[in-house]
Amino acid sequence: MKPFLMAALAAGVSFAGAALAQDTTAGDTKSKVDNLEKLGSFKQTGVAEPAPIPQTGRRADAINRTLQKIKVPDGFKIELYAVVPDARAMAVGPNAGVVFVGTRKSKMYTVTDRDKDRVADEVKVYAPGVDFKIPNGVCFSRDGVLTVVEQNRVLAFPAAEFFYEGTDGPAVVVVKQGELIPPAEESYNHTARMCRIGPDGKLYVSLGQPYNVPPKDKADLYAKTGIGGIIRMDADGKNREVYATGIRNSVGMDFANDKTLWFTDNQVDGMGDDQPPGELNQITKPGQNFGFPWYGGGGVRTVEYKDDKIPADVVPPKAELPPHAADLGMIVYKGKSFPEKYRGGIFTAEHGSWNRTTPIGARVMFVPVNKDGSAGKPEPFAEGWLTEGGEYLGRPVDVATLPDGSLLVSDDTAGAIYRISYEK
């Protein structure tokens, strides 16, 4: 366990209590703030465990019918792994393979496959005594600490795979409520954070900016705080820095074997059906600028900044993605069960368009990565959630791999996680 977490938990409420002092409000929220203090002091909250999420019945049957329509390449199959309400970002535990699932609402879930038949046996609410607010971002360190990035707070749950069995477990406030971004910048738009623990042990967090295109008077504030970029910090929240800028709203990122960070970026709405493209980018060193808001996506200039001088150091995307398809979660595939073609390549989850006359997306895409580091042409990998009539039967959000190398796909519309496997 990280030294700071050991020290913080040993100190008990002195750490968590100080961090939570400003969170105290009336009613149920107050009780849940107190619960977080108790968890930081190894005390029980007394919160009753909610009933597990049913894994059979009409919803599961309907999802299975939809999956019969999903096309995957020869040799692959897609199956229902778990029914999980509002499922978004996923983090697979490094020890037992328990899947922790974030949402854009107020709950998180754990998904357990106890008999290892690659179908979930149990789905239940995680840490029911904690008052979460948009706990979308979830990521694990190699030593089993789960980090949860909310709209404007960061929490850490040591030994999450062990303590999840009960309602209580240790919890530490890494970034206090209201200090991830200035509270005045909180919005209903672009507030789903994504996180990763890097090879350097630091925490990387994407901070989508709340506008379609931000006003110019926000530039200095956003550059200082990292809004519209990716920030990184030590695991205990110290030594925060802006790692990359020029990013509109990234809800997917992952480290490659060469330790570079790849990320998806959703681009500007209202510029027509076929522009601008979405982006798949690669950060090769700290401080890089990826062109927003001067560019709306790819080489397409925004109307608002069309007469402004473009910074000389803008980094172009490694691959352009279909316009308005809303590529969200992504992973660099490091498993070994898929054919060689897919190893080291990138899977992205397209949530699907809203700002387009003819909808596109609602599929899983694959982008090959060549030996020289260049990216190939994106291609559909799993599709069929969008009907010819424009109805969404599901909307993929994130992708992750189980220890056996199979691919998990979350879907917040169907409320499900799918598993894609390969058989020779």
Side-chain angles (χ1 to χ4, degrees):
M1 190 181 298
K2 299 292 184 184
F4 96 89
L5 291 172
M6 290 291 290
L9 293 173
V13 75
S14 62
F15 183 93
L20 289 163
Q22 66 181 41
D23 288 344
T24 303
T25 55
D28 185 60
T29 298
K30 173 63 167 64
S31 69
K32 289 192 174 183
V33 169
D34 292 341
N35 286 342
L36 194 48
E37 293 179 354
K38 290 177 181 178
L39 296 177
S41 303
F42 286 97
K43 294 181 179 179
Q44 295 179 320
T45 64
V47 173
E49 183 170 6
I53 305 300
Q55 296 300 297
T56 58
R58 290 182 62 186
R59 172 174 286 191
D61 292 344
I63 293 170
N64 279 316
R65 286 194 296 271
T66 294
L67 290 181
Q68 295 175 13
K69 305 173 185 178
I70 305 304
K71 298 177 181 179
V72 292
D74 290 343
F76 289 88
K77 64 178 179 180
I78 183 168
E79 300 170 291
L80 177 61
Y81 186 72
V83 176
V84 185
D86 310 305
R88 284 186 60 95
M90 299 176 288
V92 180
N95 299 308
V98 178
V99 183
F100 290 74
V101 186
T103 73
R104 286 188 64 187
K105 296 187 177 180
S106 60
K107 293 180 180 179
M108 289 183 55
Y109 297 91
T110 56
V111 180
T112 310
D113 172 19
R114 298 187 185 279
D115 57 11
K116 301 303 179 183
D117 65 350
R118 308 311 177 194
V119 178
D121 303 304
E122 178 185 72
V123 175
K124 64 180 184 178
V125 175
Y126 176 63
V130 177
D131 186 26
F132 291 112
K133 184 177 181 180
I134 314 181
N136 185 84
V138 289
C139 51
F140 265 105
S141 65
R142 284 172 288 183
D143 58 356
V145 177
L146 174 70
T147 297
V148 178
V149 182
E150 301 176 283
Q151 179 187 39
N152 204 359
R153 182 175 63 173
V154 180
L155 304 175
F157 297 84
E161 281 191 284
F162 175 77
F163 287 104
Y164 90 95
E165 293 281 13
T167 58
D168 299 329
V172 175
V173 178
V174 176
V175 178
K176 298 177 185 179
Q177 175 65 38
E179 294 189 3
L180 185 61
I181 62 172
E185 299 303 315
E186 291 184 9
S187 169
Y188 54 80
N189 195 34
H190 298 163
T191 55
R193 315 299 181 201
M194 179 57 70
C195 67
R196 284 289 187 268
I197 305 299
D200 54 6
K202 290 180 178 289
L203 171 64
Y204 291 72
V205 178
S206 63
L207 297 178
Q209 55 78 45
Y211 297 91
N212 185 32
V213 179
K216 295 178 182 179
D217 61 8
K218 294 288 186 179
D220 290 343
L221 174 64
Y222 287 6
K224 179 181 178 180
T225 58
I227 296 174
I230 293 173
I231 62 172
R232 71 174 175 181
M233 65 189 78
D234 294 341
D236 59 0
K238 297 179 181 178
N239 298 313
R240 171 174 170 162
E241 62 182 322
V242 178
Y243 186 64
T245 60
I247 302 167
R248 181 173 177 270
N249 181 40
S250 175
V251 197
M253 58 181 172
D254 195 20
F255 283 91
N257 289 326
D258 64 3
K259 299 182 180 180
T260 60
L261 181 61
W262 292 72
F263 67 92
T264 57
D265 195 8
N266 281 199
Q267 296 308 305
V268 173
D269 298 314
M271 298 188 74
D273 277 4
D274 299 317
Q275 69 171 13
E279 294 184 355
L280 177 65
N281 295 283
Q282 181 188 29
I283 304 173
T284 57
K285 61 182 179 180
Q288 289 180 308
N289 183 328
F290 290 88
F292 180 80
W294 299 274
Y295 292 109
V300 179
R301 294 295 301 270
T302 58
V303 174
E304 295 84 348
Y305 288 77
K306 65 182 176 62
D307 297 323
D308 290 61
K309 184 178 179 180
I310 301 170
D313 58 351
V314 165
V315 179
K318 300 292 285 191
E320 293 188 354
L321 304 172
H324 307 300
D327 288 81
L328 300 183
M330 61 145 288
I331 59 164
V332 178
Y333 184 74
K334 304 180 183 74
K336 297 181 180 178
S337 65
F338 284 11
E340 185 67 31
K341 167 185 174 178
Y342 298 99
R343 299 179 191 179
I346 291 172
F347 288 100
T348 71
E350 286 187 352
H351 200 226
S353 59
W354 67 268
N355 184 233
R356 203 171 187 279
T357 304
T358 302
I360 61 170
R363 56 191 176 183
V364 177
M365 300 289 286
F366 175 71
V367 182
V369 177
N370 304 315
K371 291 183 179 179
D372 63 0
S374 62
K377 183 179 179 180
E379 60 186 61
F381 177 73
E383 59 183 339
W385 287 280
L386 179 59
T387 70
E388 292 183 0
E391 180 182 8
Y392 286 108
L393 304 179
R395 302 188 75 174
V397 177
D398 195 20
V399 282
T401 50
L402 286 174
D404 69 350
S406 59
L407 187 72
L408 297 182
V409 181
S410 64
D411 181 335
D412 62 350
T413 293
I417 295 176
Y418 317 119
R419 176 176 175 264
I420 301 177
S421 59
Y422 178 77
E423 294 182 357
K424 297 180 180 179

